[in-house]
């Protein structure tokens, strides 16, 4: 009551001041009306939280652009949660499917005036990352996902290269899911996988040594035989000259008119005949000696080809066996009607950024009613069970319901035979209407963005040097990791340009160098 009386007295005092007092009163009323709304908005802002249990290894992170929040999940549910600041208007953080591809505790941006991006965890090579930064309470970055400084620091050592990062335009959470199409690993195959990998690795190394020796033998035989044509040509020329001298002597003898001339011609013919016979003998002997060398060249060349084929088969088998020890990720695109497989080799990329991912499986896939949207759904193996794997699904774009979308897809049996028996927790199947982003390359897990969402945060430019691309010919030409790389056209080409307000952006069609942003 006292407060009401005091307020009334204050109001009358303000009104007695005339127009100036009325304006002041109106201003106070406006702020009084706004203050509760502002307080409510601030109260709804996400706060940092830690699950009240022992956390396991994180499997995925989900960033909600709508709620400006990131949540990390292990096999049993959420473990860490924090507010974030995503990209502002015109520089929007792209929504889609990503994974951590590089980590740097003390990163400095080469795109934004040496800006400090502590505890950076890169998810694209063209400038999108999770890192510590200021949080004004709303989207304010140039496309990255800023997290609280302390949160980013504590999180940094808990994550790993290849960990899934899902950026959703709305709020979404992993939901328990089961379906016959999801991988059903075999306990005995998983138990046998390490020893099988060791055995096949040893066989690959032996096949590599044999191939190297066969190649050396073929090279030596070819080198030895290389001088044969020149030597034979020389002997053939000598024989031709001797035959010509003999023919000349015959002609002289036939034309001799006197006994003295005839005697001289016969002597010349005898010498020429002996010389021609000697030349013929040398040529025949050289030809006889050359034949085994030619045969050796053919034989060693054939042996080298056979050994190389055995090496390729052994290395492929060893590679598959080693990759069977890693979680496997599958991406199925309605746009391209293809299925892609990625597994981390844990080999450092040759240009010093990130790690190399195996990309050897890319095949057509059958999608029923391919003209109808699937949506974008991420199915993840969260943990082992007595019968196989426990799965979850995260949907970030509803085209078709997750179960119905998966029902429409037939995964080739030969692909399932290669990857399903040893599928491990953290394995995943992603199905989407979208093609793989041009950001996807040999040193990324899958990158796919939602084409109907703003992507202004993708800021690209031409790389300063050719990008290095991993070959798919095995492990170091017979070792235990990717070792052969070739250059690909580095120039950026515009792909699917989209207007976001006043900004025009393009996606790069080629991977870019480390330190690009």
């Amino acid at each position: 009551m006292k407060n009401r009386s005091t307020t009334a007295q204050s109001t009358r005092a303000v009104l007695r001041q005339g127009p100036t007092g009325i304006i002041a009163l109106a201003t106070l009323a406006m702020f009084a009306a706004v203050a509760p709304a502002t307080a409510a908005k601030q109260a709804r802002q996400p706060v940092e939280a830690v699950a009240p249990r022992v956390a396991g290894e994180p499997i995925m992170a989900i960033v909600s652009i709508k709620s400006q929040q990131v949540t990390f999940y292990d096999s049993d549910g959420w473990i860490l949660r924090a507010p974030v600041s995503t990209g502002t208007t015109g520089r929007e953080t792209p929504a889609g499917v990503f994974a951590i591809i590089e980590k740097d505790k003390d990163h400095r941006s080469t795109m934004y005036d040496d800006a400090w991006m502590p505890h950076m965890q890169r998810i694209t090579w063209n400038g999108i990352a999770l890192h510590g930064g200021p949080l004004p309470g709303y989207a304010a970055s140039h496309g990255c996902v800023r997290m609280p400084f302390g949160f980013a620091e504590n999180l940094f050592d808990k994550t790993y290269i290849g960990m899934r990062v899902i950026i959703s335009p709305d709020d979404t959470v992993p939901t328990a899911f089961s379906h016959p199409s999801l991988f059903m690993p075999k306990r005995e195959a998983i138990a046998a996988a390490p020893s099988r990998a060791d055995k096949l690795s040893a066989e690959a190394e032996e096949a590599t040594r044999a191939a190297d020796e066969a190649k050396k033998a073929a090279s030596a035989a070819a080198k030895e035989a290389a001088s044969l044509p020149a030597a034979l040509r020389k002997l053939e020329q000598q024989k031709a000259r001797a035959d010509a001298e003999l023919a000349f002597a015959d002609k002289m003898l036939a034309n001799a008119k006197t006994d003295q001339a005839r005697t001289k011609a016969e002597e010349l013919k005898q010498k020429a005949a002996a010389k021609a016979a000697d030349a013929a003998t040398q040529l025949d002997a050289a030809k006889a000696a050359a034949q085994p060398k030619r045969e050796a060249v053919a034989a060693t060349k054939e042996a080298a080809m056979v050994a190389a084929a055995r090496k390729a088969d052994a290395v492929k088998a060893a590679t598959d066996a080693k990759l069977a020890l890693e979680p496997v990720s599958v991406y199925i695109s309605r746009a391209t009607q293809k299925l892609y497989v990625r597994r981390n080799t844990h080999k450092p990329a040759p240009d010093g950024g990130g790690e190399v991912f195996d990309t050897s499986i890319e095949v057509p896939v059958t999608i029923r009613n391919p003209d109808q949207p699937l949506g974008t759904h991420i199915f993840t193996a969260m943990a082992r069970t007595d019968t196989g794997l426990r799965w979850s699904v995260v949907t970030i774009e509803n085209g078709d319901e997750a179960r119905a979308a998966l029902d429409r897809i037939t995964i080739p049996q030969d692909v399932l035979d290669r990857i399903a028996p040893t599928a491990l927790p953290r394995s995943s199947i992603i199905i989407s209407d979208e093609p793989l982003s041009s950001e996807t390359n040999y040193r990324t897990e899958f990158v796919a963005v939602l084409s109907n969402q703003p992507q202004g945060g993708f800021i690209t430019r031409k790389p300063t040097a050719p990008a290095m691309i991993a070959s798919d010919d095995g492990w170091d030409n017979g070792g235990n990791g990717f070792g052969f790389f070739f250059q690909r056209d580095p120039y950026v080409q515009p792909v699917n340009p989209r207007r976001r307000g006043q900004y025009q952006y393009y996606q790069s069609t080629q991977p870019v160098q480390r330190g690009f942003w």
Side-chain angles (χ1 to χ4, degrees), residues 319 345 350 356-360 442 468-477 481-488:
T319 300
T345 68
V356 173
F357 284 77
D358 175 71
T359 62
S360 57
Y442 74 97
M468 302 301 292
I469 310 301
S471 73
D472 58 0
D473 65 342
W475 303 342
D476 290 333
N477 296 318
F482 286 81
F484 175 70
F485 295 82
F486 60 90
Q487 291 185 341
R488 180 179 285 179

Side-chain angles (χ1 to χ4, degrees), residues 157-347:
D157 291 332
K158 295 180 174 65
T159 60
Y160 48 88
I161 300 296
M163 194 196 83
R164 177 80 61 231
V165 177
I166 300 167
I167 300 179
S168 175
D170 300 306
D171 298 335
T172 186
V173 296
T175 303
F177 189 86
S178 62
H179 192 278
S181 295
L182 299 176
F183 304 143
M184 292 293 292
K186 299 178 181 178
R187 188 186 302 271
E188 60 276 14
I190 293 175
S195 58
R196 182 172 182 270
D198 290 341
K199 176 177 178 291
L200 292 176
S201 180
E203 291 178 0
E205 290 177 1
E206 177 58 34
T208 298
R209 283 194 293 270
D212 289 344
E213 291 173 1
K215 185 177 180 180
K216 288 178 181 178
S219 178
K223 185 176 180 179
E224 185 177 358
S227 60
L228 289 177
L232 289 174
R233 281 196 302 272
K234 184 177 180 180
L235 290 174
E236 287 170 350
Q237 290 168 358
Q238 289 178 356
K239 183 178 182 301
R241 286 195 296 269
D243 289 342
E245 290 176 3
L246 180 58
F248 179 73
D250 281 336
K251 186 176 180 181
M252 286 184 64
L253 182 60
N255 295 331
K257 302 300 183 180
T258 64
D259 291 342
Q260 183 180 6
R262 191 177 292 107
T263 300
K264 185 177 180 180
E266 287 177 350
E267 291 176 358
L268 184 61
K269 180 180 178 180
Q270 289 176 0
K271 291 180 180 180
K275 189 175 181 180
D278 184 54
T281 300
Q282 290 185 46
L283 179 59
D284 291 342
K287 287 181 177 179
Q291 187 57 32
K293 293 181 180 180
R294 289 197 182 97
E295 292 173 354
V297 170
T300 54
K301 183 178 180 180
E302 178 64 24
M305 292 175 63
V306 171
R310 287 175 180 167
K311 170 192 168 182
D313 290 343
V315 167
K316 182 177 180 299
T319 300
D320 280 349
K322 189 173 182 180
L323 290 172
L325 305 176
E326 296 293 324
V328 59
S329 294
V330 172
Y331 187 90
I332 299 171
S333 168
R334 185 176 70 91
T336 63
Q337 303 283 295
K338 283 188 176 182
L339 177 150
Y340 310 83
V341 176
R342 285 281 196 279
R343 285 177 287 192
N344 196 349
T345 68
H346 297 294
K347 296 299 174 182

Side-chain angles (χ1 to χ4, degrees), residues 379-429:
F379 306 91
T380 305
M382 304 299 285
R384 286 191 176 97
T385 66
D386 291 338
T387 57
L389 293 169
R390 173 165 54 82
W391 290 80
S392 73
V393 63
V394 175
T395 295
I396 60 173
E397 185 176 41
N398 281 308
D400 205 344
E401 187 270 333
R403 184 173 302 279
L406 197 54
D407 282 340
R408 290 165 53 192
I409 296 168
T410 302
I411 299 177
Q413 188 60 46
D414 60 329
V415 174
L416 285 173
D417 291 342
R418 286 182 67 178
I419 64 179
T422 57
L424 301 170
R426 304 204 315 269
S427 294
S428 61
I429 299 176

Side-chain angles (χ1 to χ4, degrees), residues 443-458:
R443 55 180 185 163
T444 70
E445 234 261 25
F446 296 120
V447 179
V449 296
L450 302 187
S451 58
N452 63 349
Q453 296 294 321
Q455 301 168 22
F458 272 145

Side-chain angles (χ1 to χ4, degrees), residues 14 17-31:
V14 169
Q17 296 176 12
T20 303
I22 293 173
I23 293 173
L25 183 62
T27 303
L28 288 172
M30 179 184 69
F31 278 111

